Amino acid sequence: MATIRVRNTGERITDEAQVRAFLESNNVYYEHWPLDALPASLRGKFVLSDDEKDQILEALRPQIEALAKARGYVKWDVIALSEQTPNLEEMLKKFEQVHTHTEDEVRAIVAGSGIFVIKGKEGYFDVELQAGDVISVPERNPHFFTLTDERKVVAVRLFIDPSGWVAHPYEDPEFQRA
Ligand SMILES: [Fe+2]
């Protein structure tokens, strides 16, 4: 279940109904998927072959297709990041820059955890995501994604137009760094 940390006040929101209400009030789409259909052999695995990524997509097909149909996504894939990923730390430094996209950014966390840092109506907030959490940052909304201290995640990404999914840097004097 996702939890929130508001950067300028340090407030934490952990109650499910309050998390949902907070995200909704900031126009951030959120849902939670059951992951029972995932093959046991792939649980807790963070280095995945293409075949294993396909198995994950197949296991989650009903949820993926329902979300795609409801929100217009046409392509999806699986990303896996862990300390085994070459140049992970450099990659994260690059990730941790506020930016925008011309389409929304969707992630369904399959294993591990991750953090979206998002500019809300009253400043930046962190959404810490666990397995089963699905989030969409609205188009043109400043944000970035990073990992938690456990440094590993498997996530499904969904796209409306993969070729248009480019990060536009967003210089923001209001960004609350911590
Ligand atoms: Fe992004």
Side-chain angles (χ1 to χ4, degrees):
M1 179 68 212
T3 58
I4 309 280
R5 184 174 69 94
V6 180
R7 289 203 164 203
N8 58 10
T9 62
E11 182 194 1
R12 286 182 185 274
I13 305 171
T14 55
D15 173 78
E16 179 172 350
Q18 285 179 19
V19 167
R20 287 179 184 275
F22 180 91
L23 292 173
E24 198 179 322
S25 73
N26 282 286
N27 300 316
V28 174
Y29 179 84
Y30 174 79
E31 66 172 307
H32 192 86
W33 287 354
L35 298 175
D36 312 340
L38 280 179
S41 60
L42 295 183
R43 291 180 194 210
K45 212 169 170 211
F46 292 87
V47 178
L48 298 167
S49 67
D50 287 346
D51 183 55
E52 288 169 331
K53 289 178 178 179
D54 286 343
Q55 286 179 47
I56 289 172
L57 293 176
E58 189 55 37
L60 297 176
R61 181 196 285 270
Q63 292 102 310
I64 290 171
E65 288 188 343
L67 185 63
K69 194 170 172 215
R71 295 178 56 88
Y73 309 119
V74 297
K75 282 199 87 135
W76 36 89
D77 65 9
V78 172
I79 52 155
L81 296 172
S82 69
E83 307 229 304
Q84 279 72 51
T85 306
N87 304 317
L88 178 71
E89 292 305 320
E90 280 144 66
M91 198 187 280
L92 289 177
K93 262 186 221 138
K94 232 189 196 173
F95 280 4
E96 290 173 4
Q97 317 246 2
V98 181
H99 63 268
T100 62
H101 306 281
T102 53
E103 67 176 66
D104 66 330
E105 178 166 336
V106 194
R107 295 287 180 277
I109 308 297
V110 176
S113 53
I115 300 174
F116 262 111
V117 180
I118 298 172
K119 186 172 192 175
K121 289 191 292 200
E122 289 166 18
Y124 282 83
F125 60 89
D126 295 2
V127 189
E128 187 168 330
L129 302 159
Q130 306 292 337
D133 288 327
V134 182
I135 194 169
S136 163
V137 179
E139 61 181 53
R140 300 181 201 282
N141 195 121
H143 69 278
F144 64 83
F145 178 80
T146 191
L147 297 184
T148 65
D149 290 344
E150 74 166 328
R151 288 276 187 270
K152 51 189 182 184
V153 73
V154 175
V156 177
R157 311 187 295 181
L158 296 96
F159 304 96
I160 296 169
D161 175 7
S163 65
W165 196 70
V166 173
H168 302 283
Y170 185 84
E171 292 294 330
D172 189 354
E174 289 173 27
F175 175 56
Q176 292 112 336
R177 196 149 285 285

